Amino acid sequence: MVHDDSRPVLPGPRHRIELDSAEALRLLASVSLGRIVFTRHALPTVRPVNHAVDGGEIVIRTHEGAALTSHAQRADIPGVVVAYEADAIDPQTHLGWSVVVTGYARLVTDPEDLARCQTLVRPWVDQTMDQAVRIRPDLVTGILLTADALASEA
């Protein structure tokens, strides 16, 4: 049998640990890039975006012509259903974590809150991002992928 050197050899078993929502949100706040999933033309759409966690809500910046912006503008309270996912998984060891938040996204319309959101999240694309969306989590799930056998007993 020939070993493919482009694929990592993973020593020992991996363990999956479910995280509570507080730990999952803490980990989500430790990174700035994630993926938002929403419905566009009755199909799931995924966009990479940068974010901040503010008071337990996820804040992202967007612009007037963005599909998510127009979708959120048409939504009534509490907003439009979205999923938000971020992770930090090492490509060699396959260890790390993944968090998924499901909740309602709403366009930020209050001028003071919009100004606050603009200070929290700096756009990483060269484009005017004059809008913001807040995601209120209803369901927060997370997993930790570890090689530590003792952690699987926790």
Side-chain angles (χ1 to χ4, degrees), residues 9-137:
V9 177
L10 303 175
R14 297 295 179 258
H15 303 280
R16 175 186 167 125
I17 301 169
E18 300 290 327
L19 301 172
D20 65 31
S21 60
E23 178 63 7
L25 282 176
R26 187 191 70 75
L27 288 170
L28 184 67
S30 74
V31 298
S32 62
L33 180 66
R35 289 154 292 283
I36 189 162
V37 182
F38 59 99
T39 303
R40 183 175 184 205
H41 304 296
L43 296 172
T45 302
V46 181
R47 296 282 189 269
V49 294
N50 59 326
H51 71 271
V53 176
D54 181 42
E57 295 183 332
I58 295 95
V59 176
I60 63 172
R61 298 275 300 273
T62 184
H63 59 89
E64 178 107 20
L68 178 60
T69 303
S70 63
H71 199 54
Q73 280 175 328
R74 291 190 307 266
D76 292 330
I77 300 295
V80 60
V81 174
V82 299
Y84 192 81
E85 188 273 341
D87 53 53
I89 299 175
D90 184 280
Q92 294 300 313
T93 64
H94 299 174
L95 301 176
W97 58 267
S98 178
V99 170
V100 176
V101 171
T102 305
Y104 291 96
R106 67 187 190 291
L107 199 61
V108 175
T109 56
D110 177 72
E112 287 182 21
D113 192 24
L114 180 58
R116 175 175 169 70
C117 292
Q118 290 171 337
T119 64
L120 292 172
V121 182
R122 299 271 182 231
W124 50 271
V125 294
D126 187 18
Q127 182 175 4
T128 300
M129 298 287 198
D130 53 358
Q131 305 286 321
V133 171
R134 281 189 173 273
I135 303 168
R136 187 192 76 225

